[in-house]
Amino acid sequence: MRYRTTIDSQAWSFNDLKQVLAVASPARSGDYLAGLGAATSQQRMAARHVLADMPLKQFLNEALVPYEDDNITRLIIDSHDVQAFAPISHLTVGDWRNWLLSEQVGTPTLTALAPGLTPEMVAAVSKLMRNQDLIAVARKCRVVTRFRDTIGLAGRLSVRLQPNHPADDPRGVAASTLDGLLMGAGDAVIGLNPASDSLPVLGGLLRLLDEVIQRFEIPTQSCVLTHVTNTLKLLEAGAPVDLVFQSIGGTEKTNRSFGVTPELLDEAYAAALALKRGTVGDNVMYFETGQGSALSADANFGVDQQTCEARAYALARRYKPLLINTVVGFIGPEYLYDGKQIIRAGLEDHFCGKLLGLPLGCDVCYTNHAEADQDDMDTLLVLLGTAGVNFIMGVPGADDVMLNYQSSSFHDALFLRETMGLKRAPEFEAWLQRMQITDAAGRLQPSSSSRLLADMSALKSLTR
């Protein structure tokens, strides 16, 4: 179906909905790499005019990737909640933008609406929004999840403690874990990216993290971020698995390039639920995504990278995850060239995920060959904190020595909490006070007074 508009006597025409969405997107290197970006700023504005006048119902009638060929499209269409969609079903994309920004729309309304939204709808409306609009609407969305603590409550920010080590050395992992805990990080998860795919190594790392959590009675969860097939094998072997992790994308072909299908995720989800390891909830899945993954797998089917990213959230939503984050700048400058593009993408991803009812976090990060620096990440960090992001990463010194990229540090989380008055997950915050790591106001105490540091000998015994 062709779409047309006329602006100042100039006629513009677009081949289909995919082209309208792609051309309406803010400029980014990945879309130009795919040959999808707007040729001129005038063409981009014309596409946004078309998008603003488009009925939301159109996204239910015109699939970007054919229903017959793609299981993510089928999931989106088959799981759509018509009743939840009804309150906005008469609106255009432009009208919906105005509705979202109105003072009458708050958290309860957006929570009820989420099952009625498709990824294409939320991607479309994001393309009509300034950065401040993305922040204002996302801030209204609260998505709360639970396993051993409660993540996503208003006025709170959680941190994934990321103790990666290039050789999976238990001593190095334990040292980074201790460092993070003493800095008040780890309420989202103690989540390690392993360098190895060896099941004995992965099992050892799981047991190490679990022993730390159990010995010190920490109200948090662990995760070794290996492929879901490895996690299933570890589950079968009796390893202490809290969360099942997997990277996912927005098309069937992308996920197959990751070695993943919904059926495989269904199996892992059921297996993790059956363990009943959570104490305050049963959200057992952890997903990571990132703009550009579909294009890098030659699996975007002419769909712009931000819309592909939003489609990945439809798959995640199926499993009610405890955590999902966009690793926004990790794939590289081929997809997000500089700090400006990374900042915009981070805000878009957070906005789209929250509208779809997901507990979005963000790895505020960049690779060393991108035109970005830590000042850009500071900007994105503050903007996401304002927008109500559920969690960020905590990496020693913000420099991941295993994955070789730049992220956010334990100190960055302290800065954001102090500047914006944000607290940790309530159960974790109470534990920090019991261990004398923080005072009643959440401020760090001198490390020498910490009960955790006093019990350092116990941590040493775990790594022998």
Coordinates of all heavy atoms in Angstrom, one line a residue, residues 72 75-76 119 122 248-250 288-291 306-319 321 324-327 345-346 348-354 356 358 360-361:
I72 N 7.6 -14.1 15.1 CA 7.5 -12.9 15.9 C 6.3 -12.1 15.5 O 5.5 -11.6 16.3 CB 8.7 -12.0 15.9 CG1 10.0 -12.8 16.3 CG2 8.5 -10.8 16.8 CD1 9.9 -13.4 17.7
L75 N 3.3 -13.9 16.8 CA 3.2 -13.7 18.2 C 2.6 -12.3 18.5 O 1.7 -12.2 19.4 CB 4.6 -13.8 18.9 CG 4.7 -13.4 20.4 CD1 3.9 -14.4 21.2 CD2 6.1 -13.4 20.9
I76 N 3.0 -11.3 17.8 CA 2.5 -9.9 17.9 C 1.0 -9.9 17.6 O 0.2 -9.4 18.4 CB 3.2 -8.9 17.1 CG1 4.7 -8.8 17.5 CG2 2.5 -7.6 17.0 CD1 5.6 -8.1 16.6
P119 N 4.4 -3.6 19.0 CA 5.7 -2.9 18.9 C 5.8 -1.8 17.8 O 6.4 -0.8 18.0 CB 6.7 -4.0 18.6 CG 6.0 -5.3 19.2 CD 4.6 -5.0 19.0
V122 N 4.2 1.5 19.1 CA 5.1 2.3 20.0 C 6.3 2.8 19.3 O 6.8 3.9 19.5 CB 5.4 1.5 21.3 CG1 4.2 1.1 22.0 CG2 6.3 0.3 20.9
I248 N 18.0 -11.7 22.5 CA 16.9 -11.9 21.6 C 16.8 -10.8 20.6 O 17.3 -9.7 20.8 CB 15.5 -12.1 22.3 CG1 15.2 -10.9 23.1 CG2 15.5 -13.4 23.1 CD1 13.8 -10.9 23.7
G249 N 16.1 -11.0 19.4 CA 15.9 -10.0 18.4 C 14.5 -10.0 18.0 O 13.6 -10.7 18.4
G250 N 14.2 -9.1 17.0 CA 12.9 -8.8 16.6 C 12.3 -9.5 15.4 O 11.2 -9.2 15.0
E288 N 18.5 -9.6 26.9 CA 19.2 -8.4 26.4 C 18.9 -8.2 24.9 O 18.8 -9.2 24.2 CB 20.7 -8.5 26.7 CG 21.1 -8.3 28.1 CD 22.6 -8.1 28.3 OE1 23.4 -8.6 27.4 OE2 23.0 -7.6 29.4
T289 N 18.9 -7.0 24.5 CA 18.6 -6.6 23.2 C 19.5 -5.5 22.7 O 20.3 -5.0 23.5 CB 17.1 -6.2 23.0 OG1 17.0 -5.0 23.8 CG2 16.2 -7.2 23.5
G290 N 19.4 -5.1 21.5 CA 20.2 -3.9 21.0 C 19.9 -3.6 19.6 O 19.8 -4.5 18.8
Q291 N 19.7 -2.3 19.3 CA 19.5 -1.8 18.0 C 20.6 -2.2 17.1 O 21.8 -2.0 17.4 CB 19.3 -0.3 17.9 CG 18.0 0.1 18.5 CD 17.6 1.6 18.2 OE1 18.0 2.1 17.1 NE2 16.9 2.3 19.0
Q306 N 15.2 0.5 14.8 CA 14.5 0.8 16.0 C 13.2 0.0 16.1 O 12.8 -0.5 17.2 CB 14.2 2.3 16.2 CG 13.7 2.7 17.5 CD 12.3 3.3 17.4 OE1 11.9 3.8 16.4 NE2 11.6 3.2 18.5
T307 N 12.5 -0.1 15.0 CA 11.3 -0.9 15.0 C 11.6 -2.4 15.2 O 10.9 -3.1 15.9 CB 10.5 -0.7 13.6 OG1 10.2 0.7 13.5 CG2 9.2 -1.5 13.6
C308 N 12.7 -2.9 14.6 CA 13.1 -4.3 14.9 C 13.4 -4.4 16.4 O 13.0 -5.5 17.0 CB 14.4 -4.6 14.1 SG 14.1 -5.0 12.3
E309 N 14.0 -3.5 17.0 CA 14.3 -3.5 18.4 C 13.0 -3.6 19.2 O 12.9 -4.5 20.1 CB 15.1 -2.3 18.9 CG 15.2 -2.1 20.4 CD 16.2 -3.0 21.0 OE1 16.9 -3.8 20.3 OE2 16.3 -3.0 22.3
A310 N 12.0 -2.8 18.9 CA 10.7 -2.9 19.6 C 10.1 -4.2 19.4 O 9.4 -4.7 20.3 CB 9.8 -1.7 19.1
R311 N 10.2 -4.8 18.2 CA 9.6 -6.1 18.0 C 10.2 -7.2 18.9 O 9.6 -8.2 19.3 CB 9.8 -6.5 16.5 CG 8.8 -5.8 15.6 CD 9.1 -6.1 14.1 NE 9.2 -7.5 13.8 CZ 8.2 -8.2 13.4 NH1 7.0 -7.7 13.2 NH2 8.4 -9.5 13.1
A312 N 11.5 -7.0 19.3 CA 12.1 -8.0 20.2 C 11.4 -8.0 21.5 O 11.3 -9.0 22.2 CB 13.6 -7.7 20.4
Y313 N 10.9 -6.8 21.9 CA 10.2 -6.7 23.2 C 8.9 -7.5 23.2 O 8.4 -7.9 24.3 CB 9.9 -5.2 23.5 CG 11.1 -4.3 23.6 CD1 11.0 -3.0 23.4 CD2 12.4 -4.8 23.8 CE1 12.1 -2.1 23.4 CE2 13.5 -4.0 23.8 CZ 13.3 -2.7 23.6 OH 14.4 -1.8 23.6
A314 N 8.3 -7.8 22.1 CA 7.1 -8.6 22.0 C 7.4 -10.0 22.4 O 6.7 -10.7 23.1 CB 6.5 -8.6 20.6
L315 N 8.6 -10.5 22.0 CA 9.0 -11.9 22.5 C 9.3 -11.9 24.0 O 8.9 -12.8 24.7 CB 10.3 -12.3 21.7 CG 10.8 -13.7 22.0 CD1 9.8 -14.8 21.8 CD2 12.1 -13.9 21.2
A316 N 10.0 -10.9 24.4 CA 10.4 -10.8 25.9 C 9.1 -10.8 26.7 O 9.0 -11.4 27.8 CB 11.2 -9.6 26.1
R317 N 8.1 -10.0 26.3 CA 6.9 -9.8 27.0 C 6.2 -11.1 27.3 O 5.5 -11.3 28.3 CB 6.0 -8.9 26.3 CG 4.7 -8.5 27.0 CD 4.0 -7.2 26.4 NE 3.7 -7.4 25.0 CZ 2.9 -6.5 24.3 NH1 2.5 -5.4 24.9 NH2 2.6 -6.8 23.0
R318 N 6.3 -12.1 26.4 CA 5.7 -13.4 26.6 C 6.1 -14.1 27.9 O 5.4 -14.9 28.4 CB 6.1 -14.3 25.4 CG 5.7 -15.7 25.4 CD 6.2 -16.4 24.1 NE 6.0 -17.8 24.0 CZ 4.9 -18.4 23.4 NH1 4.0 -17.6 22.8 NH2 4.8 -19.7 23.3
Y319 N 7.3 -13.8 28.4 CA 7.9 -14.5 29.5 C 7.9 -13.7 30.9 O 8.6 -14.2 31.8 CB 9.3 -15.0 29.2 CG 9.3 -15.8 27.9 CD1 9.6 -15.3 26.7 CD2 8.8 -17.2 28.0 CE1 9.6 -16.1 25.5 CE2 8.8 -17.9 26.8 CZ 9.1 -17.4 25.6 OH 9.1 -18.1 24.5
P321 N 9.6 -11.1 32.1 CA 11.0 -11.2 32.7 C 11.2 -10.3 33.9 O 10.5 -9.3 34.1 CB 11.8 -10.6 31.5 CG 10.9 -9.8 30.8 CD 9.6 -10.4 30.9
I324 N 15.1 -6.8 31.6 CA 15.4 -6.8 30.2 C 16.1 -5.5 30.0 O 15.7 -4.4 30.5 CB 14.2 -6.9 29.3 CG1 14.6 -6.6 27.8 CG2 13.1 -6.0 29.7 CD1 13.5 -6.9 26.8
N325 N 17.2 -5.5 29.3 CA 17.9 -4.2 29.0 C 18.4 -4.2 27.6 O 18.8 -5.2 27.0 CB 19.1 -4.0 30.0 CG 20.2 -5.0 29.8 OD1 20.3 -6.0 30.5 ND2 21.2 -4.6 29.0
T326 N 18.5 -3.0 27.1 CA 19.1 -2.7 25.8 C 20.6 -2.4 26.0 O 20.9 -1.6 26.9 CB 18.4 -1.5 25.1 OG1 19.2 -1.1 24.0 CG2 18.2 -0.3 26.0
V327 N 21.4 -3.1 25.3 CA 22.9 -2.9 25.4 C 23.2 -1.8 24.3 O 23.7 -2.2 23.3 CB 23.7 -4.2 25.2 CG1 25.1 -4.0 25.6 CG2 23.1 -5.3 26.1
A345 N 18.8 6.6 20.9 CA 18.4 5.2 20.9 C 18.1 4.7 22.3 O 17.1 3.9 22.5 CB 19.5 4.3 20.2
G346 N 18.9 5.1 23.2 CA 18.6 4.6 24.6 C 17.3 5.1 25.1 O 16.5 4.4 25.8
E348 N 14.7 6.0 23.2 CA 13.7 5.3 22.4 C 13.4 3.9 23.0 O 12.2 3.5 23.1 CB 14.1 5.2 21.0 CG 14.1 6.4 20.2 CD 14.7 6.3 18.8 OE1 15.4 5.3 18.6 OE2 14.6 7.2 18.0
D349 N 14.5 3.1 23.2 CA 14.3 1.8 23.6 C 13.6 1.7 25.0 O 12.7 0.9 25.2 CB 15.7 1.1 23.8 CG 16.4 0.9 22.4 OD1 15.7 1.2 21.4 OD2 17.6 0.6 22.4
H350 N 14.0 2.6 25.9 CA 13.4 2.6 27.2 C 11.9 3.0 27.1 O 11.0 2.3 27.7 CB 14.1 3.6 28.1 CG 13.5 3.7 29.5 ND1 12.9 4.9 29.9 CD2 13.5 2.9 30.5 CE1 12.4 4.7 31.1 NE2 12.8 3.5 31.5
F351 N 11.6 4.0 26.3 CA 10.2 4.4 26.1 C 9.4 3.3 25.5 O 8.3 2.9 26.0 CB 10.2 5.6 25.1 CG 8.9 6.0 24.5 CD1 8.1 6.9 25.2 CD2 8.5 5.4 23.3 CE1 6.8 7.2 24.6 CE2 7.3 5.8 22.8 CZ 6.4 6.7 23.4
C352 N 9.9 2.6 24.5 CA 9.1 1.6 23.8 C 8.9 0.4 24.7 O 7.8 -0.2 24.8 CB 9.8 1.1 22.5 SG 9.7 2.4 21.2
G353 N 9.9 0.0 25.4 CA 9.8 -1.2 26.3 C 8.8 -0.9 27.5 O 8.0 -1.8 27.8
K354 N 8.9 0.3 28.0 CA 8.0 0.6 29.2 C 6.6 0.7 28.7 O 5.7 0.2 29.4 CB 8.5 1.9 29.8 CG 9.7 1.8 30.7 CD 9.4 1.0 31.9 CE 10.6 0.9 32.9 NZ 10.9 2.2 33.5
L356 N 5.2 -1.0 26.4 CA 4.8 -2.4 26.2 C 4.7 -3.2 27.5 O 4.4 -4.4 27.4 CB 5.7 -3.1 25.2 CG 5.7 -2.6 23.7 CD1 6.8 -3.1 22.9 CD2 4.3 -3.0 23.1
L358 N 7.2 -3.7 29.9 CA 8.4 -4.4 30.2 C 9.3 -3.6 31.2 O 9.4 -2.4 31.2 CB 9.2 -4.7 29.0 CG 8.7 -5.9 28.1 CD1 9.3 -5.9 26.8 CD2 8.8 -7.2 28.8
L360 N 12.2 -2.2 31.6 CA 13.4 -1.9 30.9 C 14.5 -1.3 31.7 O 14.3 -0.4 32.5 CB 13.0 -0.9 29.8 CG 13.1 -1.4 28.3 CD1 14.5 -1.6 27.8 CD2 12.4 -2.7 28.2
G361 N 15.7 -1.8 31.5 CA 16.9 -1.2 32.0 C 17.8 -0.9 30.8 O 17.4 -1.1 29.6

